[in-house]
Amino acid sequence: MHHPLNIAEPTIFMKGDAALKDGRPFFVPDFSSEVHYETEVAVKICRLGKNIAEQFAYRYYDAVTTGIDFTARDVQTVLRGSGLPWELSKAFDNAAAVGRFVPLAEAGAIDRLTFRLDINGQTVQQGYTGDMIFSVDRIIAFVSRYFTLRTGDLIFTGTPAGVGKVNVGDHLQGYLGERKVLDFHVR
């Protein structure tokens, strides 16, 4: 039985490689009037892995960044209300903005990283990996029970409070610590 306030396992959804946004502007898709940003820490998988034990998960990623999981919230609401999968709302083309990756050796301990999103010069989301419901290592162990992780796969790890709508003309800048790793406009 699933209890919404007692989440025992991470919630997982997939984004295909067409969801990866390049360095150009993010274009609001014509099928949604309410696209939201969700700023997250993302790690890059550096070796093949399946059924990874949590205590060894750190061996499977070597770089980290800040990313944005774009969600067509109006579409997601309809899908959720019908009990349908969320991919149309979360895995559409360019729905994953990925910052410049920083080697973990430079970034610091994965459970002590700060990250934030600024829109038009104002901080709208900020997080600390030590506050995450599920640690990066727990997420990797969980996902690898179901999916073989491959070199180059990206895992987004969840968003802190403060998600909201993007608007045409917005300037988004993502930070990992004080490093600006993401910088683009909404068109």
Side-chain angles (χ1 to χ4, degrees), residues 62-65 100-107 176 179 181:
D62 61 0
V64 62
T65 192
R100 177 179 49 81
F101 276 92
V102 177
L104 274 174
E106 289 176 33
L176 184 65
R179 286 181 182 87
V181 293

Side-chain angles (χ1 to χ4, degrees), residues 31-42:
F31 55 78
S32 178
S33 60
E34 194 180 352
V35 174
H36 285 196
Y37 56 82
E38 298 179 18
T39 308
E40 308 186 17
V41 164

